[in-house]
Amino acid sequence: MSSVAPSAELHGPISDEHGVTFLLGDQNRRLAAVHLEEELGLGGVAFTRQRSQWTLRIPRPPVDRMEYLFAIEDHNGHRWTITDPANPRRAPGAFGDKSVIEFAGYVRPAWLDAPSTSGTTAPIAVAAPALDAEVTCDLWAPDGLDADQPAPLLVVHDGPEFAVLGGIVAFVAAHVADGALPPTRVALLGPGDRNDWYSANDAYATALCDLLAQSPPTTVRIGVGVSLGALAMLHAHRRHPRTFDGLFLQSGSFFTPDLDAQESGFSGFPAVSGFVADVHHSARDDDGIPTAMTCGIVEENLANNQRLAATLAHLGYDTVLHPVRDGHNYTAWRDALHPHLLGLVRTVVDRAA
């Protein structure tokens, strides 16, 4: 729309070692306010009008890339969000595209452009009467792997989204091709009623195990999850030990009342925080397994991830939390697959050999 189109000479954002300047054209002065929506915890900082444009300067954030939107308001009080018209670079996400800045030092994963093996996908489903639904997955397998041949299996919550937005199948296919991974299957789990199923739901954990019983034979299973899906994967392991041989948990929603009061309105908060409290209060766990965790250094979840990593290590899990210079988004999770998921798979496969 013309009210938010950049003028011909307007280019942005402008970044240097000290900060970032955002610019938004408003030739006809149709906007009453502009704010920056971001994952840095800045709190929706406001732009300042300068003649026919809006400007904002923020200090250089401690990340290698930054996703953001502009929240704009007209003089009638109508509000909406837009991507930055002066920035053509976009990052896809579960709730649509965002504008993105890639700062000096950001390195795109090399495996994205590497040769990869081809594969096929087949559906699997299991009835889950306690959920009044089916639990489903798309099972990807590299070509040349016989259906009855045991192989590692990655079990991925939010699987279809992670495949499209986070490239997890492409990651496996590239590393099977270069020999860094053995032929490996990927179970892309459909999220179903995500807020219910992934909120430490015992019925879902049981249905997940029933589904895995229908999968081809495995050498090892590694549970993969992001955000609430990471919480659900840890919950499934704790409720059904020996289902998984390793866990890869990214930006997990390991909520506690003292660290995450801002999440208390979430419908699953009581179940999630109750389960997390049980983990923290455990005296021992005889079923600790290798666990790799990643979390963005600007995320609200960083503190609860740090606390959980310490607890898991105390309980006997071989646990490492890898902070990443990014936020809570699929590109951050994609970029952390190498080397952290690769290293976990190798560790788990070597231990099982």
Side-chain angles (χ1 to χ4, degrees):
M1 60 188 298
S2 60
S3 61
V4 295
S7 60
E9 71 277 7
L10 189 59
H11 301 283
I14 302 166
S15 64
D16 55 44
E17 61 180 324
H18 301 294
V20 185
T21 300
F22 298 92
L23 307 169
L24 180 65
D26 186 13
Q27 296 283 1
N28 298 317
R29 294 176 172 261
R30 294 181 179 174
L31 299 182
V34 180
H35 292 82
L36 182 69
E37 288 194 356
E38 35 66 37
E39 299 178 329
L40 307 176
L42 300 179
V45 288
F47 284 58
T48 301
R49 186 197 295 279
Q50 294 183 349
R51 296 188 177 88
S52 62
Q53 68 184 39
W54 295 82
T55 67
L56 172 67
R57 176 77 173 175
I58 64 170
R60 169 70 162 82
V63 292
D64 293 330
R65 55 183 300 282
M66 171 185 172
E67 298 185 8
Y68 66 97
L69 293 169
F70 293 159
I72 62 179
E73 180 179 345
D74 66 18
H75 294 285
N76 295 317
H78 300 136
R79 301 173 183 176
W80 65 102
T81 57
I82 62 169
T83 53
D84 182 352
N87 181 3
R89 193 180 296 274
R90 300 284 185 265
F95 301 103
D97 287 356
K98 292 184 177 181
S99 295
V100 63
I101 304 169
E102 294 178 355
F103 296 107
Y106 173 72
V107 179
R108 188 172 181 270
W111 58 263
L112 288 169
D113 303 310
S116 62
T117 188
S118 56
T120 57
T121 302
I124 300 177
V126 64
L131 299 173
D132 193 26
E134 282 189 332
V135 175
T136 65
C137 85
D138 293 326
L139 182 69
W140 181 88
D143 290 344
L145 182 62
D146 293 339
D148 59 352
Q149 181 179 345
L153 176 67
L154 301 185
V155 183
V156 184
H157 273 152
D158 297 300
E161 279 191 348
F162 208 158
V164 174
L165 302 175
I168 194 164
V169 171
F171 169 82
V172 172
H175 288 305
V176 170
D178 68 16
L181 288 177
T184 299
R185 298 184 180 96
V186 184
L188 301 170
L189 295 164
D193 185 353
R194 186 178 191 274
N195 285 350
D196 178 38
W197 293 10
Y198 287 2
S199 293
N201 186 322
D202 289 349
Y204 172 72
T206 298
L208 171 59
C209 294
D210 291 343
L211 178 74
L212 294 178
Q214 298 188 17
S215 68
T218 62
T219 54
V220 295
R221 290 193 193 117
I222 296 175
V224 178
V226 303
S227 194
L228 196 59
L231 177 284
M233 199 59 75
L234 176 63
H235 172 264
H237 165 68
R238 295 272 296 180
R239 292 293 185 265
H240 299 274
R242 294 174 292 281
T243 296
F244 298 103
D245 304 285
L247 296 173
F248 188 66
L249 310 177
Q250 297 189 275
S251 304
S253 300
F254 306 120
F255 298 149
T256 68
D258 62 320
L259 294 176
D260 306 288
Q262 74 281 359
E263 300 288 353
S264 60
F266 167 53
S267 61
F269 187 83
V272 168
S273 59
F275 164 70
V276 172
D278 287 344
V279 175
H280 287 307
H281 295 153
S282 298
R284 58 180 293 169
D285 186 337
D286 295 328
D287 300 297
I289 55 179
T291 301
M293 302 170 63
T294 77
C295 192
I297 61 173
V298 295
E299 289 194 53
E300 288 183 345
N301 278 348
L302 181 60
N304 65 52
N305 274 247
Q306 291 170 328
R307 182 180 292 181
L308 183 82
T311 293
L312 292 180
H314 175 73
L315 292 175
Y317 289 66
D318 179 5
T319 304
V320 179
L321 171 61
H322 305 278
V324 298
R325 290 174 55 84
D326 208 319
H328 192 89
N329 59 73
Y330 270 104
T331 301
W333 300 326
R334 179 200 73 185
D335 290 358
L337 296 176
H338 187 285
H340 306 309
L341 177 56
L342 184 63
L344 176 67
V345 175
R346 286 173 167 173
T347 295
V348 172
V349 169
D350 288 348
R351 290 189 181 189

